[in-house]
Every structure is written in structure tokens, then in C-alpha cells.
């Protein structure tokens, strides 16, 4: 989910940057924090006050950046039940404005079969195009319909919108939580999801026979051998999803963080510090309202800027926070 917002100017809506994977507890990324210098982030934090701190265990199905975005959009939900698919269906007009049924995302993916585990690969890396996605959707629809699930195309190739009562109250793990982990750790295991597990098995057999995968094998890209269900739930009836000032979600740290490529993650942070963070600092210096939400594996911390009095300027000069120490707490 990526929401965008324009930069603010006096009299406009406040600027809000939301940065997933700003902190990462994986070995290489954690090591990359040592010696990382982010001067614009430190200067921006010196102007800011901590407004909210959402810290939870890394066993939550909804990662901190999704919880923070949901809060900004007014989508307060139980863990694993943020209705991202229903929101997309409403915004894309696949669903009617008064649709109260539950939706989910069925994301095509590659399950990496190892000796001991089956691990979820990153769907963003499977290189699927709209034609492949539509062909597989057509083949899959009858199987989903047998279980009372209506499938619709999404704006994102390889991700389908699924509508069914079976998704009501069904907690599912975000793909960002599950990538790189054994699927047994994150798949829904309740009796409520038994039919979905059977459907997933049927889809694995179906996908194995599809010409799309033959063509993919010829191109040397991983086969699509399953789907991952996430973003389940129904929208609150009073939600007006078009009237909310959405944060600008910056996803440039994600690829390196998921690979635990510490050098690339640090490089992405330096580019972020020199670009959007520098722009936000300039806006705060002009007196604009700026909000910054930094998210990691465990926590999302939201900061808001304030006007600089001489006392605050002096305090910021001598008590400028260490950005790397803060990122290590996420």
C-alpha cells in the first residue's frame, strides 16, 4: 500500500512522511547503522517532538508501518484485520460505496521449497505482468467461486481482489511480515480458514499446469506456485476514504531491508536523507507543519515539528538526537 501526498506550504495540509523499514533488526542492516551519518534526519528530529510511539512484538501480523498508515487513514482494526483490500476495492470502484462485505488480497507468489521449510518469497520479485495476472485470474475464478469467493483484477499485476464473507474476522499476516519466513509460521491455521487452506492446495496444483509458468521457466524467472492472503476485512460504514490526507509512504528502504543487504540499505538511507528528508527539513525551517513517522520491525514512532524559539534552538543545538540510536530502537 502506497499513499502519496504533496509537500506542504503555508496554508496547505501538513506534510507527513511515513518511512517503512527505517529500522531493521536483521544482522547486516543492524551492523550498517554503525557509522551511518544522517545529518538532515538529525536536524529534523531536533526540531520535532515525539507524538506517538506504537511498540509491539514482532509476532504481530500487521507490521508497524501498516499500523501507522491505518491509523492515519482512520482504519483502526484488530491485528491482522486492516481492510486494505476493501479500501482498494472502494477507491477503485470495484466495490459499491455502501459495500459492507469483507474483502481480501490474493497475491500470487513463489513458495521456495527447502529441505525443512517452505518459505515465502517476495512477490515483488516474481516479475509478473498484467497479461500473466489476467490469464491466471481467469483460470482461478471457478475454483474460488466454488467456495463463495468472487475474484476481481487489481491495479497491481499479480494481486487480486477477493470478496467473501469468509474474510470477516479472519486475521491474516501481511506479506511484509511473512517474506523470508516459513509459511507455517504466518498462515491462518484456525478452523475458520480450513476451506482457504484447501483452496490454496488446489491452486498449487492448478498453477503447476498453467502455460504461464512454462513461459516463465523459459525466461528463467521463478514459477508462480501459490497465493498469499492478506489485507482482510470490511470497511467501517462511516469511512470516507477520499477525504483523508494520506501520508507520503516512502518505500525505498524495503528491498534492501528484506534481503538484509546492509550496504544497500545504508545507501538507500543516505539518498533518503539527502532527498525527501532534506525537503522536509527545509519545509520545517520555513515554519511549515511536518510529521515524520519512522517504522521498523517492532515500532512506529511519529514525530511532529514545532516552531523554533531561541530556547528550543539552543536546546536542539546541544541536545541533537542521534538518528542511528533512534533507528536502533525501531
Amino acid at each position: 500500500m502506497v499513499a502519496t501526498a504533496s509537500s506542504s506550504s503555508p496554508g496547505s495540509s501538513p506534510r507527513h512522511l511515513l518511512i517503512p523499514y527505517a529500522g531493521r533488526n536483521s544482522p547486516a542492516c543492524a551492523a550498517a547503522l554503525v557509522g551511518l551519518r544522517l545529518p538532515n534526519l538529525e536536524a529534523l528530529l531536533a526540531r520535532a517532538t515525539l507524538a506517538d510511539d506504537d511498540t509491539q512484538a514482532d509476532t504481530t501480523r500487521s507490521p508497524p508501518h501498516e499500523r501507522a498508515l491505518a491509523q492515519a487513514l482512520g482504519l483502526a482494526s484488530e491485528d491482522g484485520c486492516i481492510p486494505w483490500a476493501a479500501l482498494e476495492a472502494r477507491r477503485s470502484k470495484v466495490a459499491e460505496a455502501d459495500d459492507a462485505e469483507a474483502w481480501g488480497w490474493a497475491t500470487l507468489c513463489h513458495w521456495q521449497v527447502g529441505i525443512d521449510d517452505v518459505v515465502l518469497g517476495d512477490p515483488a520479485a516474481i516479475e509478473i505482468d498484467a497479461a500473466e495476472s489476467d490469464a491466471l485470474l481467469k483460470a482461478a475464478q471457478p475454483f474460488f467461486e466454488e467456495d463463495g469467493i468472487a475474484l476481481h483484477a487489481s491495479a497491481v499485476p499479480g494481486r487480486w481482489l477477493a470478496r467473501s464473507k469468509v474474510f470477516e474476522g479472519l486475521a491474516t499476516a501481511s506479506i511484509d511480515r511473512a517474506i523470508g519466513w516459513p509459511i507455517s509460521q504466518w498462515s491462518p491455521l484456525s478452523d475458520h480458514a480450513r476451506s482457504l487452506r484447501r483452496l490454496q492446495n488446489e491452486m498449487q496444483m492448478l498453477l503447476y499446469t498453467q502455460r504461464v509458468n512454462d513461459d516463465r521457466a523459459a525466461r528463467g524467472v521463478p514459477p508462480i506456485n501459490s497465493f498469499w492472503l492478506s489485507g482482510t476485512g470490511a470497511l467501517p460504514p462511516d469511512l470516507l476514504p477520499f477525504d483523508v490526507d494520506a501520508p507520503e509512504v516512502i518505500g525505498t528502504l524495503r528491498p534492501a531491508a528484506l534481503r538484509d543487504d546492509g550496504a544497500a540499505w545504508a545507501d538507500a538511507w543516505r539518498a533518503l536523507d539527502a532527498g525527501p528528508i532534506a525537503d522536509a527539513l527545509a519545509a520545517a525551517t520555513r515554519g511549515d507543519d511536518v510529521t515524520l513517522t519512522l517504522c521498523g520491525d517492532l515500532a512506529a514512532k511519529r514525530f511532529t515539528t514545532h516552531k523554533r524559539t531561541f530556547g528550543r534552538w539552543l536546546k536542539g543545538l546541544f541536545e541533537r538526537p542521534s538518528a542511528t540510536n533512534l533507528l536502533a530502537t525501531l
Side-chain angles (χ1 to χ4, degrees):
M1 301 117 333
V2 176
T4 59
S6 60
S7 59
S8 64
S9 58
S12 70
S13 299
R15 180 170 191 173
H16 184 176
L17 301 183
L18 192 155
I19 304 177
Y21 297 101
R24 185 67 166 164
N25 293 325
S26 55
C29 289
L33 278 177
V34 179
L36 182 62
R37 296 292 176 261
L38 303 171
N40 292 313
L41 177 59
E42 292 193 351
L44 184 60
L45 290 172
R47 291 178 169 271
T49 300
L50 180 64
D52 185 64
D53 182 353
D54 171 22
T55 300
Q56 298 187 29
D58 60 2
T59 54
T60 56
R61 297 179 179 89
S62 302
H65 56 274
E66 291 193 10
R67 297 197 301 267
L69 181 57
Q71 182 183 35
L73 297 177
L75 291 175
S77 305
E78 296 295 324
D79 181 43
C81 295
I82 304 174
W84 296 123
L87 181 64
E88 181 189 349
R90 175 82 62 84
R91 285 177 163 173
S92 63
K93 298 185 179 179
V94 173
E96 299 294 333
D98 59 350
D99 189 312
E101 194 159 7
W103 291 73
W105 274 331
T107 302
L108 296 172
C109 55
H110 173 67
W111 287 7
Q112 303 165 356
V113 180
I115 297 175
D116 299 319
D117 297 310
V118 179
V119 175
L120 178 66
D122 185 357
I126 65 174
E127 301 178 21
I128 184 171
D129 59 28
E132 290 177 324
S133 182
D134 291 343
L136 293 177
L137 172 64
K138 185 177 180 180
Q141 277 178 324
F143 293 85
F144 280 78
E145 287 172 357
E146 287 181 3
D147 287 313
I149 302 172
L151 279 185
H152 303 267
S154 163
V156 178
R159 189 174 75 193
W160 302 332
L161 291 165
R163 182 177 186 265
S164 176
K165 291 182 179 179
V166 73
F167 303 138
E168 293 179 4
L170 177 64
T172 53
S174 164
I175 283 177
D176 282 0
R177 268 296 193 225
I179 287 172
W181 294 93
I183 60 169
S184 58
Q185 179 171 333
W186 292 108
S187 292
L189 299 176
S190 65
D191 290 341
H192 190 54
R194 185 176 300 168
S195 63
L196 293 173
R197 294 201 303 274
R198 177 182 50 76
L199 177 60
Q200 203 164 45
N201 291 334
E202 291 175 349
M203 282 297 297
Q204 287 176 320
M205 292 185 286
L206 174 69
L207 289 168
Y208 181 76
T209 67
Q210 294 301 299
R211 180 173 179 176
V212 165
N213 272 327
D214 293 336
D215 294 340
R216 292 177 63 82
R219 301 202 314 266
V221 295
I224 298 167
N225 56 14
S226 193
F227 71 90
W228 189 262
L229 182 67
S230 63
T232 46
L235 283 180
D238 57 344
L239 181 72
L240 300 175
F242 303 101
D243 296 339
V244 177
D245 290 325
E248 179 183 354
V249 180
I250 301 177
T252 54
L253 299 173
R254 180 183 184 273
L258 290 176
R259 298 194 310 269
D260 193 26
D261 185 336
W265 183 73
D267 286 343
W269 244 126
R270 293 185 189 98
L272 183 55
D273 189 67
I277 296 294
D279 293 342
L281 175 60
T285 302
R286 292 194 303 268
D288 295 354
D289 293 328
V290 174
T291 299
L292 175 68
T293 301
L294 300 172
C295 308
D297 296 331
L298 303 177
K301 297 181 186 291
R302 177 165 53 87
F303 298 87
T304 55
T305 60
H306 43 68
K307 292 184 178 180
R308 299 272 286 205
T309 63
F310 177 76
R312 281 177 172 168
W313 174 84
L314 191 63
K315 182 178 180 181
L317 183 64
F318 289 100
E319 298 182 9
R320 177 167 295 189
S322 166
T324 54
N325 287 346
L326 172 65
L327 298 180
T329 69
L330 300 176

